[in-house]
Amino acid sequence: MRVNIDDCVLELVEGDITEMPTEAVVNAANARLILGGGLAGAIRSKGGPQIQQECNKIGGTFVGGAVKTTAGNLKAKYVIHAVGPQMGEGDEDEKLKNATLNSLKLADKEGIKSISLPAISTGVFGFPIQRCSEIMLRTTIDYLKVQTGLDKVVFCLFGRESYEVFENQLKQEISK
Ligand code: AR6
């Protein structure tokens, strides 16, 4: 599914974000920036050791924050490591909103034109996918309606079920 938000294309695809050819891809990271399992593990193994080495130099960031490294062997040029909340730690919705917003802001600050995001926190961190779709889509649409240099924002969802949750939610958002 694909819609326009002012001058930016907002697209939903089902697939593997490590294969996305956008300039940046977002990793679902932890605050210590240690690439563990799930998507982070796929980025580590496909992208090569350089990404973890750059993360180690940065050292970490706050929950809701986002930092940038290069993307090693991935098709993308950059990985933006966004730290989502772990379910149960408190203030999860606000933290997920911030992780989304800080990823988009960082992309803009770096002059990045296209970015792919996953459903942050909905794997190992246990955040419900429906609530994630509401927060991430609303935050992104609101952001793109103000000022952005981004041409394209893609939500790359892993599996049909996650894709359908985001698709239904995006349909609702644009009918508002
Ligand atoms: N492409 C797109 N989405 C993916 C991919 C992929 N290749 N692989 C998984 N997903 P998770 P979290 C989806 O667990 O919940 C790690 O140990 C997955 O289906 O990767 O934020 C980190 O180091 C789910 O919908 O991230 C952190 O410690 C979503 O991506 C911690 O897990 C996020 O799942 C982060 O947990």
Side-chain angles (χ1 to χ4, degrees), residues 15-18 28-30 34-42 84 118-126 129 156-158 162:
D16 179 348
I17 205 169
T18 63
N30 56 48
I34 292 167
L35 304 170
L39 170 56
I120 297 170
S121 287
T122 62
V124 175
F125 280 177
I129 184 94
C156 181
L157 291 321
F158 205 52
S162 298

Side-chain angles (χ1 to χ4, degrees), residues 5-173:
I5 310 291
D6 290 345
D7 292 335
C8 186
V9 172
L10 174 59
E11 195 176 356
L12 306 182
V13 301
E14 181 193 340
D16 179 348
I17 205 169
T18 63
E19 298 292 333
M20 288 299 292
T22 45
E23 210 177 333
V25 296
V26 172
N27 176 30
N30 56 48
R32 289 181 303 149
L33 301 178
I34 292 167
L35 304 170
L39 170 56
I43 288 178
R44 178 170 30 80
S45 54
K46 283 197 187 172
Q50 187 189 336
I51 301 174
Q52 182 65 69
Q53 283 162 14
E54 287 181 47
C55 282
N56 293 345
K57 276 191 195 145
I58 298 166
T61 187
F62 60 96
V63 181
V67 302
K68 188 192 80 163
T69 65
T70 57
N73 304 324
L74 302 182
K75 287 177 188 152
K77 262 198 189 141
Y78 305 106
V79 177
I80 290 181
H81 304 266
V83 183
Q86 196 160 358
M87 210 49 199
E89 70 180 27
D91 218 4
E92 295 93 351
D93 290 4
E94 189 63 21
K95 288 170 177 170
L96 182 59
K97 180 181 172 181
N98 289 338
T100 309
L101 201 54
N102 284 323
S103 299
L104 298 170
K105 282 184 179 170
L106 180 57
D108 256 330
K109 189 176 144 227
E110 300 288 337
I112 289 166
K113 294 291 176 192
S114 61
I115 185 169
S116 300
L117 297 104
I120 297 170
S121 287
T122 62
V124 175
F125 280 177
F127 195 90
I129 184 94
Q130 173 60 38
R131 216 156 107 201
C132 172
S133 73
E134 291 165 24
I135 293 168
M136 290 195 76
L137 287 171
R138 180 81 275 166
T139 303
T140 301
I141 291 168
D142 286 349
Y143 180 80
L144 297 179
K145 279 185 178 163
V146 186
Q147 215 199 357
T148 181
L150 282 161
D151 294 332
K152 194 176 185 186
V153 176
V154 182
F155 279 90
C156 181
L157 291 321
F158 205 52
R160 196 71 206 161
E161 241 175 82
S162 298
Y163 176 83
E164 280 170 4
V165 171
F166 270 70
E167 187 181 55
N168 289 333
Q169 189 57 34
L170 182 56
K171 283 180 185 159
Q172 280 196 39
E173 289 292 342

